[in-house]
């Protein structure tokens, strides 16, 4: 048989690109067996793995999109809270400035009131001191005048009531003259 094949091969001039018929048949049958094995056994497993990968990738993408949306909402909430905190800080700063201004005004008013009280107390004290000094001066002047008058007249003027009237009259005349000259 091999001899027949060799003789047959020698007799025919064959195209090197086209295989002989029996080889083509055996190759086709072998291809069909391998194709059937791949189609029944390997292809479902490959498709299953590809579907799992696709599902995992799509799930990962969906999860990433969901996380992105959640992160965006958290960022928006953070920005809103930050803006609210800024407004609150500005409001508190404004209130503090207003309270400071009110406090300064109150302190100024209190200082002014205390100053007025001190000035009034000073005027009262000065007036009391002036009256006390005038009274002491009146008594001293009266005593000196009585002593001087007693020496001029040559007798003692010890009568207190007379002394007081004379001194008061004398000082009143002096005050009237002083006021007239002003």
């Amino acid at each position: 048989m091999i001899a027949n094949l060799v003789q047959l091969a020698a007799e025919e001039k064959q195209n090197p690109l086209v295989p002989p018929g029996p080889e083509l048949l055996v190759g086709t049958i072998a291809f069909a067996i391998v194709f059937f094995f791949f189609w029944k056994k390997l292809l479902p497993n490959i498709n299953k793995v590809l579907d799992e990968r696709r599902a995992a990738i799509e799930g990962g993408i969906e999860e990433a999109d969901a996380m992105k949306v959640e992160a965006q909402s958290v960022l928006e909430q953070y920005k809103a809270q930050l803006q609210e905190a800024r407004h609150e800080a500005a409001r508190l700063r404004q209130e503090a400035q207003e309270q400071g201004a009110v406090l300064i005004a109150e302190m100024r008013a209190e200082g002014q009131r205390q100053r007025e009280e001190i000035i009034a107390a000073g005027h009262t004290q000065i007036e009391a001191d002036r009256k006390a000094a005038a009274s002491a001066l009146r008594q001293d002047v009266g005593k000196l005048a009585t002593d001087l008058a007693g020496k001029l007249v040559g007798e003692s003027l010890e009568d207190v009531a007379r002394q007081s009237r004379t001194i008061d009259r004398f000082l009143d005349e002096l005050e009237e003259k002083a006021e007239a000259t002003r």
Side-chain angles (χ1 to χ4, degrees), residues 138 141-142 144-146 148 163-177:
R138 192 174 273 249
V141 168
L144 289 172
T146 306
L148 182 62
Q163 263 183 348
S164 290
R165 282 193 310 267
T166 305
I167 292 169
D168 287 337
R169 192 180 38 185
F170 176 71
L171 291 176
D172 288 340
E173 288 174 7
L174 284 176
E175 283 180 3
E176 286 175 11
K177 287 181 183 177

Side-chain angles (χ1 to χ4, degrees), residues 6-180:
V6 172
Q7 190 182 12
L8 239 174
E11 289 176 4
E12 285 184 30
K13 280 192 163 186
Q14 217 178 349
N15 186 355
L17 294 179
V18 177
E23 233 179 75
L24 188 60
L25 182 64
V26 170
T28 304
I29 291 173
F31 177 76
I33 291 172
V34 169
F35 180 76
F36 182 75
F37 174 73
F38 274 127
W39 185 57
K40 281 293 187 182
K41 292 287 181 187
L42 267 119
L43 194 60
N45 288 339
I46 291 172
N47 283 337
K48 180 181 173 186
V49 168
L50 288 176
D51 287 342
E52 288 174 358
R53 270 190 174 173
R54 184 179 306 116
I57 291 171
E58 287 174 357
I61 290 173
E62 289 174 2
E63 186 178 330
D65 287 342
M67 291 179 80
K68 183 179 177 183
V69 167
E70 183 180 347
Q72 188 67 26
S73 71
V74 168
L75 178 63
E76 292 300 322
Q77 288 175 352
Y78 170 74
K79 285 181 180 179
Q81 288 175 347
L82 183 61
Q83 187 66 22
E84 184 179 325
R86 285 181 180 156
H87 286 301
E88 182 68 16
R91 184 186 64 77
L92 290 174
R93 190 171 34 252
Q94 181 66 28
E95 284 180 10
Q97 287 176 349
E98 290 172 0
Q99 288 176 352
V102 167
L103 186 60
I104 288 172
E106 288 175 358
M107 295 302 281
R108 282 185 180 159
E110 179 64 19
Q112 185 73 10
R113 185 191 62 77
Q114 288 178 354
R115 188 184 115 222
E116 294 298 325
E117 286 178 2
I118 290 170
I119 290 172
H123 285 304
T124 304
Q125 184 63 36
I126 289 171
E127 184 62 28
D129 289 347
R130 187 189 68 76
K131 286 181 180 178
S135 174
L137 183 63
R138 192 174 273 249
Q139 288 176 358
D140 289 343
V141 168
K143 178 82 168 130
L144 289 172
T146 306
D147 289 344
L148 182 62
K151 287 183 184 178
L152 286 174
V153 173
E155 68 181 66
S156 175
L157 301 173
E158 292 296 324
D159 185 14
V160 176
R162 198 172 2 152
Q163 263 183 348
S164 290
R165 282 193 310 267
T166 305
I167 292 169
D168 287 337
R169 192 180 38 185
F170 176 71
L171 291 176
D172 288 340
E173 288 174 7
L174 284 176
E175 283 180 3
E176 286 175 11
K177 287 181 183 177
E179 286 179 8

